[in-house]
Amino acid sequence: MAISALNSIGKTVKVIKTVMRCAEEEGYHNNHSYMAHSFKAPKADADAIYLTKEDLDKINALDLSKECWGMQVARDIFMIGVWTAQRVSDYNNIRKEDVKTETIRSWDEDGNLSERQVRTIHVVQQKTGKKIVIPCNKALRDILDKYPDELPHISEQKLNLYLKELGKKAELNEMVDIRSTKGGEMKVEPVAKHDLIHTHTARRTGATLMYLSGMNVYDICKITGHSNIKTLERYIKANELETVKKITEAYDYFK
């Protein structure tokens, strides 16, 4: 199901502008109208959801022992995506050699040295080429420990199918209002949450849960690889009440 026709239109506009630019460089025209600010690619935020901690708990609680290998692996791959907050092109291709154990040394005010071991995942993002180092939380470490030889990988198409099925089995049936454009008109359509889950939901979920945990947005950018806060904001899907809860628990000003 197409969530929004705007994104398809936007892709077409981008192609037209690219063709016009190439044609101008080759001397076929000198019409600069395509560069006008008004001729821009419209875009709609098609991925409108993230999964709450409660949603993730429901998915993790599923007994998949009688399900196919792909279903079991899809859950683990998706959770790796959540806890790393990476794109599917990155989290679905993590190798064992990308997982490292770092020794973190620190000194207290008396000059005493302490050391601790931290497991990390090193990723070179395929889209941006950025080198990212992600600390592993316990949930992520537990998944990594399940695969001592090599981490699993399945195609993105199959992964999306399995994720929607996992959402159904976990009874993530909340109806979500999705705004879309059809025939140039904005429409609102209720869609079951499990039907909206796909590979990119993991990245949005990870970024949002980091934000709600109180993590500094600049630190979140270091993990997600976003170059600025404004771009990151599009990924944080916390609603107003969740944001109020986060703020009032974090700051004495509101107590």
Side-chain angles (χ1 to χ4, degrees), residues 1-4 45-52 55 167 171-180 182 187-198 201 204-205 237-239 242:
M1 180 186 70
I3 300 302
S4 175
D45 191 1
D47 185 6
I49 68 163
Y50 85 99
L51 300 186
T52 65
D55 292 335
E171 299 183 351
L172 304 185
N173 301 323
E174 174 189 352
M175 301 305 291
V176 180
D177 287 338
I178 298 299
R179 299 181 185 276
S180 62
K182 295 181 181 178
K187 295 186 179 181
V188 178
E189 180 182 8
V191 180
K193 195 172 192 178
H194 58 73
D195 281 330
L196 295 171
I197 303 173
H198 54 84
T201 307
R204 291 187 181 274
T205 297
K237 289 295 180 181
N239 62 36
E242 290 170 323

Side-chain angles (χ1 to χ4, degrees), residues 15 24 53 72 75 80 144-145 147 157 177 197 236:
V15 170
E24 182 182 7
K53 185 63 169 60
Q72 299 175 45
R75 177 170 63 182
I80 290 173
L144 296 176
D145 289 342
Y147 302 95
Q157 182 180 15
D177 287 338
I197 303 173
I236 295 176

Side-chain angles (χ1 to χ4, degrees), residues 70-71 74 77 88-89 91-93 153-165 197-200:
M71 180 78 73
I77 293 174
V88 63
S89 56
Y91 73 73
N92 194 21
N93 291 290
H153 167 84
I154 57 179
S155 72
E156 184 176 353
Q157 182 180 15
K158 288 185 177 180
L159 186 55
N160 276 320
L161 292 175
Y162 286 134
L163 292 179
K164 287 177 172 53
E165 188 61 31
I197 303 173
H198 54 84
T199 54
H200 206 59

Side-chain angles (χ1 to χ4, degrees), residues 53-71:
K53 185 63 169 60
E54 291 74 18
D55 292 335
L56 297 179
D57 288 342
K58 289 179 181 179
I59 292 175
N60 281 321
L62 292 173
D63 181 2
L64 301 179
S65 58
K66 296 182 180 179
E67 301 294 336
C68 66
W69 176 87
M71 180 78 73

Side-chain angles (χ1 to χ4, degrees), residues 89-105:
S89 56
D90 297 316
Y91 73 73
N92 194 21
N93 291 290
I94 294 173
R95 303 161 300 170
K96 289 299 286 189
E97 53 262 39
D98 298 326
V99 182
K100 305 181 185 300
T101 299
E102 318 278 358
T103 300
I104 306 297
R105 296 180 176 86

